Amino acid sequence: MVDTMALLPPFSRAARAPRTAPRRAVAPPAGTARPSPGGLGLPADDDVLLDVPDDRLGPALVAAARGEHGPASALLGATRRGTDWEHRDGWVRRLAAFARSRDEWFLRWSATAPHDPDLLTVRAQLAVDRAWPSPARAELLREVSPLITAAARGDDRDPVPWRVALDHARGSGAGHKYFEELWEAAVRRAPHHYGCHVAALRYLGTAYHGSHPACLDFAERAAQDAPAASLVQALPLHAVLAYLTDDCGPELPRRRLDEAADRAIALSARFPEADPGPAALRNQLMLVLVRLGRWRDAFAQARLIGPYATSHPWEQLSDDPLGLFLRTRDEVRAAWLTPPPGPPRSERGRHGHPGEH
């Protein structure tokens, strides 16, 4: 288990880190023509879809659209019985997001089985999601605490309510001692749960804005402690992306950026090509590789992504995440067709496009 709070002393000694120049993407080779859509093993633009659910979540969402909660309940129940916490976490998020816009199925589930542990977890996530965009977020989130407590009591093995609690703590501005208690409870249930680690990383990044070296330290230690197939192997990539899309904090050595990307490339290779399951990892990885000027590696990820674009990370940079994904993919394809001369460029990545919880 990685000790997240061991990072707090160096954070507390430094206030806001000095601002630096915006980090921009390394440009594609000069004079490269924009390629036509599709080709080179990439699907045409019109075939690319955003946030496609996998084969197990899809039927549950279709049923929910008809007002039926049974498939969603069965899906989450199976993850709990099988201790499949990573899928459970992602599916809780997606079902809660769906309930924000279409809640008939959720209301029926609430009336039918108000104490169902799976319902309680979705309810807690939904409440946090609804409070998050409000200017009164901290106050509204304090009112959500009993729902998270109820979800955590639903199944003591389940780390997902504790991940919701970690996000809740960040949004409500909770102190370090309280966060540390939540973190210890979360990793006691699932030492390598990716969602909990991302929540901890985001808390550290929010509480100590600009402290990217310390955040990457935490992410690297967590990845070293995790199995090779664990999604925690992608945590350093998450930290690097936060660094590359921020304009605050000290420089990070190029070597560490590349090592985080290489670790994520190895993890991506464990999944099938053109699979919606690892699509979020691969979309994030492609953006980082573009920022680092690693065009051939970025093209390899574009092929692995296939038709499965994801809102994250593109929505952080544009109000049109699918459009930005397609434009970036065009740049990657163009650079692959006309590679830059000489060895790979080594300057650090920087913002290349205009502009979660």
Side-chain angles (χ1 to χ4, degrees):
M1 184 182 73
V2 178
D3 182 7
T4 308
M5 296 303 121
L7 299 178
L8 291 177
F11 280 160
S12 61
R13 286 197 297 270
R16 184 181 177 92
R19 297 181 67 85
T20 62
R23 302 174 174 92
R24 304 186 183 279
V26 180
T32 302
R34 178 184 175 90
S36 60
L40 298 177
L42 301 180
D45 287 3
D46 290 344
D47 294 330
V48 176
L49 305 172
L50 188 68
D51 296 330
V52 173
D54 62 31
D55 292 341
R56 287 175 285 178
L57 177 62
L61 292 175
V62 170
R66 297 194 300 261
E68 302 169 9
H69 67 273
S73 175
L75 181 71
L76 293 183
T79 63
R80 189 161 44 84
R81 289 187 298 273
T83 64
D84 184 2
W85 306 129
E86 299 296 359
H87 280 111
R88 179 178 178 81
D89 197 6
W91 292 339
V92 163
R93 293 174 187 267
R94 292 293 297 269
L95 289 166
F98 191 79
R100 288 187 70 184
S101 57
R102 304 184 66 171
D103 65 355
E104 298 88 350
W105 64 279
F106 182 75
L107 295 176
R108 290 178 181 173
W109 191 5
S110 299
T112 302
H115 304 297
D116 184 338
D118 306 312
L119 169 75
L120 295 175
T121 303
V122 176
R123 178 181 289 158
Q125 180 69 61
L126 176 59
V128 170
D129 291 349
R130 284 174 170 165
W132 203 270
S134 171
R137 176 196 299 169
E139 180 179 350
L140 293 175
L141 285 176
R142 281 192 287 273
E143 299 174 2
V144 171
S145 295
L147 299 180
I148 300 175
T149 299
R153 290 174 176 169
D155 187 329
D156 190 58
R157 304 169 302 160
D158 186 1
V160 178
W162 295 92
R163 191 273 303 155
V164 178
L166 292 170
D167 285 338
H168 176 273
R170 174 167 58 95
S172 58
H176 310 317
K177 185 176 186 302
Y178 177 66
F179 189 89
E180 181 177 2
E181 293 172 356
L182 295 177
W183 168 251
E184 290 176 351
V187 297
R188 186 165 61 246
R189 286 160 174 81
H192 306 298
H193 183 247
Y194 180 62
C196 289
H197 279 78
V198 171
L201 187 64
R202 286 175 171 168
Y203 176 85
L204 295 173
T206 299
Y208 303 98
H209 183 63
S211 297
H212 296 293
C215 287
L216 185 54
D217 287 345
F218 162 63
E220 289 173 344
R221 290 205 302 269
Q224 290 166 4
D225 193 44
S230 169
L231 287 176
V232 176
Q233 296 296 331
L235 198 66
L237 182 80
H238 196 100
V240 165
L241 179 59
Y243 164 73
L244 293 175
T245 54
D246 191 12
D247 62 354
C248 180
E251 298 280 341
L252 287 173
R254 172 62 189 243
R255 171 188 57 79
R256 296 184 71 184
L257 309 184
D258 283 324
E259 287 174 352
D262 291 340
R263 188 184 292 271
I265 288 172
L267 180 62
S268 173
R270 291 177 170 271
F271 296 99
E273 183 176 352
D275 183 346
L281 161 67
R282 287 168 171 164
N283 276 249
Q284 184 173 316
L285 177 54
M286 187 176 81
L287 176 57
V288 167
L289 291 168
V290 166
R291 294 288 172 93
L292 298 179
R294 293 175 55 172
W295 297 100
R296 290 189 178 277
D297 289 332
F299 180 78
Q301 292 306 311
R303 295 186 68 171
L304 290 173
I305 289 168
Y308 298 120
T310 57
S311 292
H312 180 75
W314 314 105
E315 65 185 357
Q316 295 179 259
L317 307 172
S318 172
D319 292 334
D320 178 17
L322 179 57
L324 180 55
F325 168 82
L326 293 173
R327 292 192 297 275
T328 304
R329 195 181 67 155
D330 280 349
E331 294 178 5
V332 169
R333 185 195 295 111
W336 188 87
L337 288 169
T338 310
R345 301 181 67 175
S346 60
E347 60 256 49
R348 111 195 193 194
R350 298 178 181 273
H351 286 314
H353 302 284
E356 73 203 331
H357 75 265

